[in-house]
Each structure stands twice: as structure tokens, then as C-alpha cells.
Amino acid sequence: MFEEGSVSAGFVGNQARSQQALSERPAAARRRLPKYIETPTLLVALAIYAAFGALTWFHAALPWWLLLPLGAYLVAWHGSLQHEVTHGHPTPSALANELLVLPSLWLWIPFRLYRESHLAHHNDALLTDPLEDPESYYLDAGRWAAAGPLTRAFLWVHNTLAGRLLLGPLRCLYVFWKGEIARALSGDFLHAKAWAIHAVGVALVLAWVVGVCGLPLWQFLLYFVYPGIALSLVRSFLEHQARPEVTERSVIIEAGPLMSLLFLNNNLHLVHHDKPGLAWYRIPALYRQRRALFLASNGGYFFKGYGEVFRRYFLRPKEQPLHPAAAA
């Protein structure tokens, strides 16, 4: 049912192609070391870990209907912090940056594998290509033809926002873990170091959550991890569309302060792809300065907030799963 022709959760796709694309990514995406420590990003990290610590410590005093949205927000926010670190923020030290996001609040993916795949995604010439872009959700003609009716139905539902929220985390876990298990069973241990580092990060989180705070693992998975991944998928749901013009492939969503902070301004996604090395807190100023140019260049791929996204696509597919070039 879970078609493997595209990325899992908009984060990890075909790792073999990722390695080639990584060497071809734009110079702006390769520029990964700031010349100074970026205090706003460090403050975000401090806020995430402090709030996460407090929320898990006082979990027993909170009702589930409050614990779940707060837990989901913090886990998704930490995912946005990881994205910022993939681009070399917030310090000149790659080691310090990686240690900053070592605790894996969402448990499921090693940071190094996410970084490798995401930087490969920044080859804009291949953006949305179902065979070359590791973060493409599209299927090529061959995989679509081979998909059975159940798989096709799943993918159509998955292209609604409701389906992405409910089924997206399950799909990303299945696709990614299946690929990694197959890699290990074939004797390929290239990712072993990334997994070993990830295991340390997971152990730190679970030691605190389960061992110190006494939050049952099933509750952590149900109230924090799964909805946190799902909330992250709200951002990636409309990030890209397949269009002939590269600048028309990335969305602009003028979100409010709560969602902009959650996604660290990555809702202004065209700006991020235009300047992938730009720190998150500098994106809004550049967008305001060049708003007319950005909106003119992306062919009207624009939404006035996530409320509009929910109204239009909560129960309606945003588009077909088959790549438009394959459907032509």
C-alpha cells in the first residue's frame, strides 16, 4: 500500500540518488558555516528543550487534550530546528550544530541521514522529479502503473491534508524504515554511524521522558511523536508543485506568528530555496523587501495563511499523485 517511489514524510527518499544529487546542489546550499554564533537560533533551541522538559515533567497534571497539541508543537518545532541545522546554523562549528539537535524528540530518523537527503533536495533543477528529488511526493509513470487500486486510493487520500495528518506519519515510518532495514540486510552498513549517533539521541530523550518523568512510552508516542510528525507534514504538504519553471515550484504561505515560528519561516518556502543559506530570522525581511518579485516569479503559488490551506484541501486532494510530465 505504501508506494516507495517518493519521499517518506517529505524528508527522506532514495538515498542512492541523494548522494549524487548532494554533489550537484547549488553553492548557496553548500555554504554551511556562519561566521558568528546566531543567538536567535540558540534561543529557539533553549525554548524548545526548556518547554519540552517542563511539559514532560508536569505531564501527569495536564489533560490529554492539552498535552497532545503542546507536545506536537514542540516536536514539530524541534524538526524545524533540525532543518535549520542542516543548512549550517547556528554556529561555525558543524559538531556543535549537530550536538544542538542530538536529542531526537521525534525518534524516527537519524539527523545525518535527514541532512544528506535534504541538501540533495536543494538541487532546484531536479526539484519535484519523482526519481531524482529525494523529497518528491510524486510518482513516475512506471510506479503508478504498477500500483494496485488500494495503493492508488491510499495515495489519493494521502494527498488530502486530513490524509497527510492521519496517514502521513505512518507512511513515512514504513517507507524509511523498510529501506534502512533492507539496506542492512543486504550487508550495506554505510549508515551505521548515523544510526549509532541517533541511538544516543533517542536514549537521552527516552531516559528523561520515561525514566525520569515517568511518562509511559505509549503516551509519548501518541501525544508527542506521532502528532509532532503529522504537524510537520502540514508544512511540507504544499511546499512544492511540479511546474516547468523552477521558481514556480515552491510555495509562499503568509502564515501568522504561531505557524511562522513553528516552521521557522519555512512557510515562505520560495525564499528559502532562493537563499538556502539564509538564517530563518532573516527570511521575513528579505520577503517583505522583494515581495512583489517573489510573488511574480512563482506563478501565483501563494496562500494567505494555513487557514486557507485547511479550508481548500482538508478533504480534497491537492493534486494527483502522478507527476504531471508522466501524465501528459
Side-chain angles (χ1 to χ4, degrees):
M1 179 182 296
F2 302 91
E3 175 59 51
E4 296 179 54
S6 58
V7 70
S8 56
F11 293 140
V12 178
N14 188 310
Q15 293 295 331
R17 293 190 182 93
S18 296
Q19 198 63 34
Q20 177 184 358
L22 188 63
S23 64
E24 299 169 352
R25 69 186 186 273
R30 292 198 301 266
R31 186 184 62 79
R32 301 187 44 215
L33 298 180
K35 296 180 180 179
Y36 53 88
I37 295 175
E38 298 166 340
T39 303
T41 308
L42 291 181
L43 292 176
V44 164
L46 178 62
I48 291 172
Y49 291 127
F52 181 80
L55 187 62
T56 49
W57 180 260
F58 293 106
H59 71 91
L62 300 173
W64 71 268
W65 48 265
L66 184 59
L67 193 63
L68 189 152
L70 293 177
Y73 191 96
L74 290 174
V75 170
W77 198 13
H78 188 263
S80 297
L81 178 65
Q82 283 196 338
H83 170 264
E84 194 72 8
V85 173
T86 66
H87 288 282
H89 307 284
T91 81
S93 168
L95 176 60
N97 294 341
E98 185 172 1
L99 289 174
L100 186 67
V101 292
L102 177 62
S104 180
L105 301 193
W106 57 11
L107 306 181
W108 74 283
I109 180 172
F111 168 74
R112 289 192 175 191
L113 301 187
Y114 167 47
R115 180 179 61 192
E116 174 186 296
S117 181
H118 181 70
L119 292 180
H121 162 74
H122 272 274
N123 186 333
D124 285 343
L126 303 177
L127 199 61
T128 74
D129 187 307
L131 295 178
E132 301 296 341
D133 178 5
E135 294 191 13
S136 175
Y137 280 103
Y138 292 102
L139 269 67
D140 64 286
R143 289 186 174 92
W144 181 252
L150 190 58
T151 296
R152 291 189 180 191
F154 176 90
L155 292 172
W156 275 108
V157 172
H158 187 257
N159 266 10
T160 68
L161 187 53
R164 193 65 58 93
L165 285 167
L166 293 174
L167 303 175
L170 180 63
R171 177 179 179 267
C172 75
L173 290 168
Y174 173 84
V175 174
F176 176 67
W177 279 72
K178 181 180 179 181
E180 288 300 296
I181 291 172
R183 175 187 290 272
L185 291 177
S186 71
D188 182 350
F189 299 107
L190 184 63
H191 292 172
K193 185 175 181 180
W195 277 104
I197 296 171
H198 180 63
V200 174
V202 169
L204 288 173
V205 172
L206 294 185
W208 168 259
V209 169
V210 179
V212 176
C213 298
L215 177 64
L217 179 60
W218 71 268
Q219 289 187 14
F220 181 58
L221 296 176
L222 184 63
Y223 297 153
F224 288 75
V225 176
Y226 198 92
I229 297 173
L231 187 55
S232 294
L233 298 182
V234 173
R235 175 182 60 79
S236 63
F237 180 67
L238 289 176
E239 272 186 350
H240 298 294
Q241 62 175 354
R243 290 294 186 273
E245 293 294 329
V246 171
T247 57
E248 295 181 4
R249 298 176 190 175
S250 300
V251 75
I252 289 288
I253 301 178
E254 292 184 345
L258 190 65
M259 297 299 282
S260 294
L261 181 62
L262 172 64
F263 298 140
L264 296 184
N265 297 318
N266 214 17
N267 47 288
L268 303 173
H269 206 60
L270 176 60
V271 184
H272 172 61
H273 271 262
D274 184 58
K275 303 290 184 184
L278 190 65
W280 67 275
Y281 53 89
R282 299 187 184 278
I283 289 176
L286 179 63
Y287 175 66
R288 288 191 298 269
Q289 179 185 354
R290 305 180 185 178
R291 183 178 185 272
L293 292 175
F294 280 122
L295 294 179
S297 68
N298 86 334
Y301 194 35
F302 165 83
F303 296 87
K304 190 68 176 178
Y306 282 95
E308 180 184 354
V309 175
F310 272 80
R311 288 191 299 271
R312 291 178 61 176
Y313 297 116
F314 188 70
L315 295 176
R316 183 164 64 91
K318 63 188 182 75
E319 58 186 336
Q320 65 176 359
L322 179 62
H323 193 279

